[in-house]
Amino acid sequence: MGYKVGIVGATGVVGQYFIQILKEKLWVDALYLAASEQSKGKTIENLEVRTIKELYKLPLDLVFFSAGKTISLQWAKRFAKKAVVIDNSSAWRLKRNVPLIVPEINCEELKPHHRLIANPNCSTIQLALVLHALKPLGLQKVVVSTYQSVSGAGMQAIEQLAMEILGWNHEKVLPTTLFLNCIPQCGAIDHEGYSEEEQKIHKETRKILRLPRLAIHATAVRVPTLVGHGESVWIRFRRQITLEEVRSLLEQQQGIRFYAEGYPTPRQLLGSKDIEVHVGRLRRDLSDERAIGLWIVADNLVKGAAGNAVQIAEYLIEQQWL
Ligand SMILES: NC(=O)c1ccc[n+]([C@@H]2O[C@H](COP(=O)([O-])OP(=O)(O)OC[C@H]3O[C@@H](n4cnc5c(N)ncnc54)[C@H](OP(=O)(O)O)[C@@H]3O)[C@@H](O)[C@H]2O)c1
């Protein structure tokens, strides 16, 4: 028997990936789409787009929320009374009783009573999986700089970049022009000088790894790639390590593809629906024998969003909790 599945935010960048991934799943009995009032009546893959109120009236087993924090705050708990909700927004991620899950790291935190589950931020997921693999070496400090694709900022940001490439006037949703540029700001900047994305990386990574005092310093940068986030990461351990130890742990980690030669780039992920986290450029810090540098790339729409959420759902199905 299959499940009745809803997607809130189905017309968005992540929503479209949910549709593509879910339409191939045999456990999906019926797929229902919802978006804002302005999309009501559209069809995607021959499926009608409803409003969230209309979706709420339908019988559902599982709902993926991907319409931003405000909509999740307003609706996710209501839906969670009738279905399991996996939320892609930042609304519930740091709440104590809401599990924040990267299946390869902490799916054992899920319990049958969990009806609202949070999917972490895209940049966080790929970093957290690498740090999880290296946790046995004793993490002391992490410094990460991200190279985040435009799709990470949603459909309107993609439109902005497209219009800039064409040289047409368009409303800006990013802080400035992205074409032929890099913008060292992802989300609003707070009173301490950190962007929203940097705070998410900092706080969510600590929660997922269960390392509440891990030192993490992040700089999040938007770059004019379409799909796939890159991350340059520096990690210091509590003791002296060898590159062989690091490499061996990365190679053993489920969900990671390690590059002993060459390196991954975001371009190779375009359209691939690749769920792996790609890691390369592993090297020793020449001035610190306890530290390494490496480069991480993952698809922000797959492992960073829809793919990770669907992996969570499949874990629940395996446990027969759905
Ligand atoms: N993009 C990424 O890489 C990424 C990664 C991880 C997590 N996320 C999170 O995933 C969520 C969606 O991101 P996105 O990039 O897909 O954004 P997006 O492209 O801007 O899509 C937003 C979606 O929300 C819908 N929506 C807006 N107002 C609504 C309302 N009142 N009722 C129902 N639906 C409404 C939009 O519908 P209309 O088309 O009708 O406006 C659209 O389907 C966000 O919370 C984001 O933080 C994104």
Side-chain angles (χ1 to χ4, degrees):
M1 204 194 79
Y3 300 94
K4 294 181 171 42
V5 180
I7 304 172
V8 178
T11 54
V13 190
V14 175
Q16 305 271 339
Y17 267 66
F18 268 119
I19 297 169
Q20 294 310 314
I21 294 171
L22 290 170
K23 75 177 189 188
E24 289 170 6
K25 297 291 181 188
L26 295 176
W27 50 264
V28 177
D29 201 24
L31 194 55
Y32 300 107
L33 311 183
S36 76
E37 293 278 348
Q38 70 178 22
S39 299
K40 180 178 156 64
K42 283 184 185 170
T43 55
I44 306 175
E45 300 273 348
N46 290 325
L47 298 167
E48 180 190 345
V49 180
R50 297 171 157 88
T51 63
I52 199 163
K53 282 185 191 152
E54 290 169 336
L55 184 75
Y56 187 66
K57 291 181 189 148
L58 299 174
L60 294 162
D61 302 302
L62 171 67
V63 184
F64 295 101
F65 265 72
S66 186
K69 185 177 176 180
T70 311
I71 299 298
S72 289
L73 283 173
Q74 207 179 331
W75 285 95
K77 284 222 159 162
R78 286 159 80 177
F79 273 82
K81 292 204 170 104
K82 53 185 275 171
V84 169
V85 171
I86 302 179
D87 182 34
N88 219 20
S89 80
S90 59
W92 306 98
R93 288 176 187 154
L94 298 176
K95 299 281 179 218
R96 196 187 261 193
N97 54 357
V98 176
L100 181 63
I101 301 294
V102 180
E104 295 90 340
I105 302 178
N106 60 348
C107 59
E108 76 289 341
E109 285 185 25
L110 291 169
K111 299 289 174 261
H113 69 271
H114 286 130
R115 306 285 290 173
L116 174 57
I117 299 162
N119 206 44
N121 163 265
C122 44
S123 309
T124 305
I125 291 176
Q126 62 189 73
L127 176 67
L129 189 54
V130 169
L131 296 179
H132 169 71
L134 302 181
K135 202 173 164 187
L137 299 178
L139 303 170
Q140 188 183 57
K141 179 158 186 165
V142 179
V143 179
V144 54
S145 299
T146 70
Y147 299 66
Q148 300 188 213
S149 64
V150 69
S151 61
M155 197 67 92
Q156 288 181 316
I158 296 176
E159 284 166 11
Q160 177 185 321
L161 179 61
M163 294 300 160
E164 288 168 359
I165 292 168
L166 292 167
W168 296 353
N169 284 331
H170 190 261
E171 188 198 343
K172 288 212 187 309
V173 292
L174 297 168
T176 186
T177 302
L178 184 59
F179 181 46
L180 298 177
N181 208 0
C182 297
I183 308 176
Q185 179 182 355
C186 298
I189 292 195
D190 67 15
H191 67 285
E192 290 177 304
Y194 284 88
S195 70
E196 275 177 287
E197 192 79 1
E198 289 158 358
Q199 290 284 14
K200 288 175 191 172
I201 293 170
H202 183 84
K203 292 177 182 160
E204 293 179 25
T205 305
R206 286 173 158 194
K207 176 170 173 176
I208 295 163
L209 296 178
R210 290 175 172 258
L211 292 174
R213 285 196 290 275
L214 178 65
I216 306 180
H217 177 76
T219 305
V221 183
R222 187 77 57 200
V223 298
T225 50
L226 191 55
V227 168
H229 290 351
E231 292 181 347
S232 161
V233 188
W234 179 91
I235 305 166
R236 188 168 207 273
F237 300 95
R238 294 193 181 280
R239 65 168 171 85
Q240 197 176 331
I241 46 83
T242 66
L243 283 186
E244 288 66 37
E245 284 178 286
V246 174
R247 179 180 163 164
S248 162
L249 288 170
L250 291 171
E251 282 176 341
Q252 284 169 43
Q253 175 60 53
Q254 191 199 347
I256 286 183
R257 183 166 160 211
F258 178 76
Y259 293 61
E261 287 173 19
Y263 45 79
T265 64
R267 180 69 178 79
Q268 77 193 53
L269 299 178
L270 199 55
S272 69
K273 288 194 226 155
D274 186 333
I275 194 132
E276 284 184 309
V277 171
H278 299 254
V279 183
R281 296 292 324 278
L282 172 64
R283 61 213 187 275
R284 177 182 283 289
D285 181 329
L286 296 177
S287 54
D288 186 341
E289 59 192 14
R290 292 189 187 183
I292 57 159
L294 48 75
W295 168 246
I296 310 174
V297 174
D299 189 324
N300 53 296
L301 302 172
V302 183
K303 188 56 188 165
N308 193 74
V310 170
Q311 281 181 313
I312 295 171
E314 290 186 328
Y315 177 80
L316 301 179
I317 292 169
E318 268 169 41
Q319 304 301 314
Q320 302 186 328
W321 291 342
L322 203 61

